[in-house]
Amino acid sequence: MDEKLIDVLELRRTAKEVKRHVVLMRILGLLMIILILIIAVAYAISYFYDKFGSFTVKVNKYDMVHQGLSLSETPEYDRSIAVLNANIVYDMTNISGNDLPENIDKVNGSHNGDNFIAYTFYLINSGDDTLSYTGEMVIENVTKKVDEAVRVAVYKNGEKTVYGKTKSNGGGKESDCDSEFLTSSIVMKTTTEGFKARDKDKYTVVIWLEGNDPDCIDEIIGGTLKLGMNFKITEST
């Protein structure tokens, strides 16, 4: 074969290899950028999950759209809302439940103190049917066993119930609590029947670290807790 032809073929092959290499490097670079973005998004979701989502209230979207069960931070209903988020308190330290304000369930929306989370909202039947519904408060995330010393007070239409985890020694409910958490992941459940059109149930949720709890120790410092309260219709007439 002619030597010049061989050189031309060799150059063409080399050029193709260089082109493939450049394309491969671009693809690898793009994949690296995508991977970095995925990690960054996952970190952001995790960060906001722990730092900004301490308490969330949700209504089943199907129930909101088809039956008119909705949420509001005020008793005046003007639009359908399926999700509400309470403001968070950073660097919460322990207090006594006896130090909470007496009128804590008289303020709408978020009204936190320095060392407690307080949130008032309304569940509204904005539809035309009479309903029965259930509500369930769940522990969605917890670190450093901070839930061992947490107290959750739920005011339903002014009636207060304080919930706490079963004593770590298995000895039943804490002395300052009205009821134990139902399970390791469920704080409480509530049921309302005969919930007529335009009826409203008012809820206030207060969360704090109980300083008198024997499990309120240094080991739980820096712990985080995320609670969610979910409502759904169980019957419609």
Side-chain angles (χ1 to χ4, degrees):
M1 183 179 292
D2 186 86
E3 186 174 340
K4 289 184 178 181
L5 180 59
I6 293 174
D7 291 340
V8 170
L9 292 175
E10 184 68 27
L11 286 172
R12 287 180 178 176
R13 187 178 68 179
T14 303
K16 288 182 180 179
E17 290 175 350
V18 170
K19 185 176 181 179
R20 284 198 297 268
H21 178 76
V22 171
V23 171
L24 180 61
M25 288 299 99
R26 287 177 178 176
I27 292 174
L28 290 175
L30 181 60
L31 290 175
M32 184 64 67
I33 292 173
I34 293 173
L35 180 60
I36 292 173
L37 288 174
I38 291 173
I39 293 173
V41 170
Y43 175 80
I45 290 173
S46 175
Y47 179 83
F48 282 97
Y49 182 85
D50 284 335
K51 298 299 183 182
F52 293 94
S54 58
F55 181 64
T56 302
V57 189
K58 296 179 182 178
V59 165
N60 183 290
K61 287 188 176 181
Y62 179 89
D63 292 342
M64 182 189 73
V65 173
H66 294 275
Q67 297 291 341
L69 197 62
S70 186
L71 297 167
S72 176
E73 289 188 343
T74 63
E76 296 78 25
Y77 166 80
D78 56 0
R79 62 191 178 94
S80 296
I81 299 176
V83 180
L84 294 173
N85 291 290
N87 295 335
I88 193 171
V89 175
Y90 290 97
D91 300 323
M92 181 188 295
T93 59
N94 63 81
I95 59 172
S96 168
N98 295 325
D99 296 331
L100 295 171
E102 292 184 3
N103 65 340
I104 200 166
D105 66 326
K106 301 297 190 294
V107 184
N108 294 326
S110 287
H111 48 285
N112 302 334
D114 291 337
N115 295 304
F116 64 85
I117 293 170
Y119 189 65
T120 297
F121 65 93
Y122 296 80
L123 186 67
I124 302 170
N125 184 356
S126 57
D128 299 321
D129 299 330
T130 298
L131 311 171
S132 295
Y133 74 81
T134 60
E136 181 179 80
M137 186 183 295
V138 297
I139 298 174
E140 298 179 352
N141 186 48
V142 63
T143 62
K144 292 193 172 183
K145 297 184 178 180
V146 71
D147 56 329
E148 297 287 347
V150 161
R151 297 293 185 270
V152 181
V154 179
Y155 297 74
K156 182 177 180 180
N157 298 323
E159 185 175 342
K160 176 184 177 183
T161 306
V162 177
Y163 300 89
K165 201 168 183 181
T166 303
K167 290 180 179 180
S168 56
N169 63 8
K173 68 180 180 66
E174 300 287 353
S175 60
D176 62 306
C177 295
D178 301 306
S179 184
E180 302 168 57
F181 289 0
L182 292 180
T183 69
S184 60
S185 61
I186 300 175
V187 174
M188 51 79 70
K189 291 184 179 181
T190 184
T191 300
T192 293
E193 298 178 352
F195 198 51
K196 299 178 182 178
R198 306 300 178 266
D199 277 357
K200 301 178 181 70
D201 275 344
K202 178 183 178 181
Y203 289 89
T204 296
V205 175
V206 186
I207 305 165
W208 73 97
L209 285 173
E210 179 51 57
N212 294 316
D213 191 308
D215 291 309
C216 191
I217 54 180
D218 289 347
E219 280 73 6
I220 69 172
I221 293 175
T224 59
L225 178 72
K226 178 175 173 58
L227 296 174
M229 196 164 186
N230 307 309
F231 294 94
K232 65 179 179 179
I233 294 172
T234 55
E235 186 178 359
S236 175
T237 58

